[in-house]
Amino acid sequence: MMRDPLLPGSVVAALPGASLQKACRFLVVFCALHLSITLIYYVSERELNIFQYFTEHHYSTSSSSPLAASTVQSTTRPHSTTAKEMVELLDCPETSPLLVGPLRIEFSHPVDLEEVKKNNPNVREGGRYKPKDCNARQKVALIIPFRKRDEHLKYWLLYLHPMLQKQQLDYGVYVINQDGDSTFNRAKLLNIGYVESLKEYDYNCFVFSDVDLIPMDDKNIYKCSSQPRHLSVSMDKFGFGLPYNQYFGGVSALSKEQFEKINGFPNSYWGWGGEDDDIYNRIVSRGMSISRPDAVTGKCRMIRHDRDAKNDPNPQRFDLIAHTRHTMNSDGINSLSYKVVKTEKYPLYTKITVDVGASPR
Ligand code: UDH
Ligand code: NGS
């Protein structure tokens, strides 16, 4: 009998030649079958995992391909996924793909708000909007201090709604209307806007905008940064520059944390001037700095107008801004008192009329 070097001697000795061949063939076929079944399982598992990996991880963190993102959003995921999970949205890209850059801004034609509403069909009552195809990165309350500037407000709504949508923000527009004829108090109205908007939605960013300032470039994003942000940095009335380095007037954006850190804005500036310098002092004294877009992106137009009644320059403003560091602890969001007179929901904005009291002078 021949000895097979591959089989144990005892087995070889016990089997005749033909049976041995049969047994070997059977063994080979069995092994091949086992191997192929294992391989099929392995490959199909891998494909499923790769598919899941791409749908769940890759596209959701990718910020540069909005087209890919929206395609994946409409793709049905593996059958184990629940219906609720299927409508879960991915984060909007870091930079919106809808931005176009410079905008044509002019104030020569009258504005029809019905028309503006028609052109912004996705804006919901009260001036609320959020993107349908992705999760906005910030929830932004736009707060406008207001009294008797209806014509300016129309231009603001005309130009800002399309821009804010292109910026893919989850936003709401709040016009804080000072009731009565007492001296105007811009900063107090802004504080009220902060408190009132938070009662309605979980906003985490607050853009405070004068009603007569319109950005000229949609890349000037109306959202918050790691530092308080000044957005109206290049106004036409100042020859497209800053009037002075510390200027923080016009349009600014503060996150909830930044706003709380400075105890909000002062309530004690009645009449024109100084309240924006006080806000600047608050920011710096709490160890923060001002972030700004560049002078081209930050270009904006102001609607020309005369000085308003009951908003004369405040003679106390220089004295007040000299003491911000001391007063800011007790004058701000922690000392704010007012009464809401009425809240009106319009198709393009929420108007909150408030009684702010009167100047002690
Ligand atoms: N505001 C009103 N109504 C008023 C006063 C102010 O809505 O009666 C609001 C409005 O949003 C305005 C903002 O507060 O944009 C700031 O007002 P402001 O008067 O402090 O600043 P503005 O730059 O005017 O609008 C400064 C005086 C302009 C004098 C022009 C003389 N040619
Ligand atoms: C400063 C004011 C600021 C004001 C800025 C621009 O002098 O409140 O001018 O005013 N500060 C003081 O008066 C202390 S503007 O030209 O826009 O009317 O924002």
Side-chain angles (χ1 to χ4, degrees):
M1 185 192 298
M2 282 191 59
R3 287 190 75 79
D4 189 325
L6 297 175
L7 289 170
S10 55
V11 177
V12 176
L15 292 167
S19 322
L20 180 66
Q21 266 186 357
K22 253 191 190 167
C24 283
R25 256 189 243 127
F26 175 75
L27 206 66
V28 168
V29 169
F30 178 78
C31 285
L33 205 69
H34 182 78
L35 205 70
S36 358
I37 291 171
T38 312
L39 214 67
I40 288 167
Y41 267 99
Y42 174 73
V43 168
S44 61
E45 263 298 292
R46 233 176 103 85
E47 273 178 0
L48 195 67
N49 286 344
I50 287 172
F51 177 67
Q52 279 177 339
Y53 174 78
F54 269 90
T55 53
E56 287 170 12
H57 300 276
H58 181 78
Y59 286 124
S60 69
T61 52
S62 156
S63 60
S64 56
S65 179
L67 193 64
S70 57
T71 313
V72 171
Q73 282 154 29
S74 58
T75 309
T76 37
R77 291 158 117 200
H79 62 273
S80 60
T81 314
T82 65
K84 186 171 171 278
E85 279 175 307
M86 273 170 21
V87 293
E88 246 176 39
L89 295 179
L90 309 172
D91 281 351
C92 295
E94 189 81 60
T95 305
S96 167
L98 309 173
L99 303 175
V100 296
L103 309 167
R104 178 196 282 266
I105 305 296
E106 46 195 42
F107 308 118
S108 46
H109 52 289
V111 178
D112 174 4
L113 281 189
E114 291 285 325
E115 198 65 29
V116 177
K117 175 60 198 139
K118 266 189 223 145
N119 293 334
N120 293 275
N122 296 322
V123 173
R124 288 180 290 118
E125 195 192 50
R128 299 286 300 273
Y129 172 85
K130 69 175 173 181
K132 276 211 269 303
D133 300 329
C134 58
N135 260 325
R137 287 172 177 259
Q138 292 190 9
K139 297 173 188 169
V140 184
L142 291 122
I143 295 167
I144 303 174
F146 186 85
R147 185 165 68 185
K148 296 179 187 159
R149 295 274 197 104
D150 295 274
E151 289 313 304
H152 294 183
L153 181 59
K154 286 182 189 174
Y155 282 115
W156 194 96
L157 297 166
L158 167 75
Y159 288 120
L160 267 294
H161 269 301
M163 187 189 93
L164 297 167
Q165 289 168 78
K166 280 190 271 162
Q167 295 184 348
Q168 297 188 310
L169 304 172
D170 177 353
Y171 72 84
V173 176
Y174 297 86
V175 174
I176 313 299
N177 179 39
Q178 181 168 332
D179 196 32
D181 290 317
S182 62
T183 306
F184 197 69
N185 190 329
R186 177 177 179 266
K188 187 166 184 180
L189 292 169
L190 299 180
N191 274 342
I192 296 170
Y194 173 84
V195 172
E196 289 299 317
S197 62
L198 273 177
K199 287 181 186 167
E200 213 175 68
Y201 192 50
D202 184 22
Y203 291 108
N204 52 20
C205 173
F206 301 82
V207 170
F208 303 97
S209 174
D210 283 358
V211 72
D212 52 10
L213 281 173
I214 312 294
M216 296 171 71
D217 193 311
D218 63 14
K219 291 188 175 147
N220 190 2
I221 312 296
Y222 272 37
K223 68 174 190 183
C224 293
S225 299
S226 56
Q227 297 295 318
R229 193 158 172 85
H230 186 219
L231 297 167
S232 52
V233 298
S234 190
M235 282 189 211
D236 56 351
K237 77 163 172 176
F238 298 132
F240 294 112
L242 286 170
Y244 50 95
N245 268 341
Q246 296 79 5
Y247 177 63
F248 198 63
V251 190
S252 57
L254 278 85
S255 69
K256 197 173 177 206
E257 289 70 31
Q258 291 160 359
F259 189 86
E260 295 284 339
K261 203 168 172 179
I262 60 170
N263 190 24
F265 297 165
N267 300 303
S268 51
Y269 285 72
W270 298 89
W272 180 90
E275 83 295 343
D276 47 354
D277 304 306
D278 190 289
I279 297 166
Y280 176 89
N281 290 345
R282 285 172 184 239
I283 290 168
V284 173
S285 82
R286 286 289 179 270
M288 294 184 282
S289 54
I290 306 296
S291 104
R292 288 187 169 120
D294 63 70
V296 174
T297 311
K299 282 172 88 173
C300 53
R301 284 203 191 290
M302 196 196 85
I303 308 169
R304 299 280 161 175
H305 61 91
D306 295 330
R307 190 174 287 285
D308 303 276
K310 292 288 189 175
N311 197 26
D312 289 331
N314 173 5
Q316 295 183 321
R317 65 192 189 283
F318 299 106
D319 191 38
L320 285 169
I321 55 173
H323 299 102
T324 307
R325 276 171 194 269
H326 303 291
T327 52
M328 66 179 288
N329 298 314
S330 53
D331 176 19
I333 207 73
N334 64 358
S335 62
L336 178 66
S337 78
Y338 63 95
K339 274 199 200 102
V340 172
V341 174
K342 65 177 164 185
T343 299
E344 294 159 286
K345 293 275 176 193
Y346 290 99
L348 296 166
Y349 62 100
T350 297
K351 185 177 189 179
I352 305 178
T353 300
V354 290
D355 177 356
V356 297
S359 159
R361 273 180 283 136

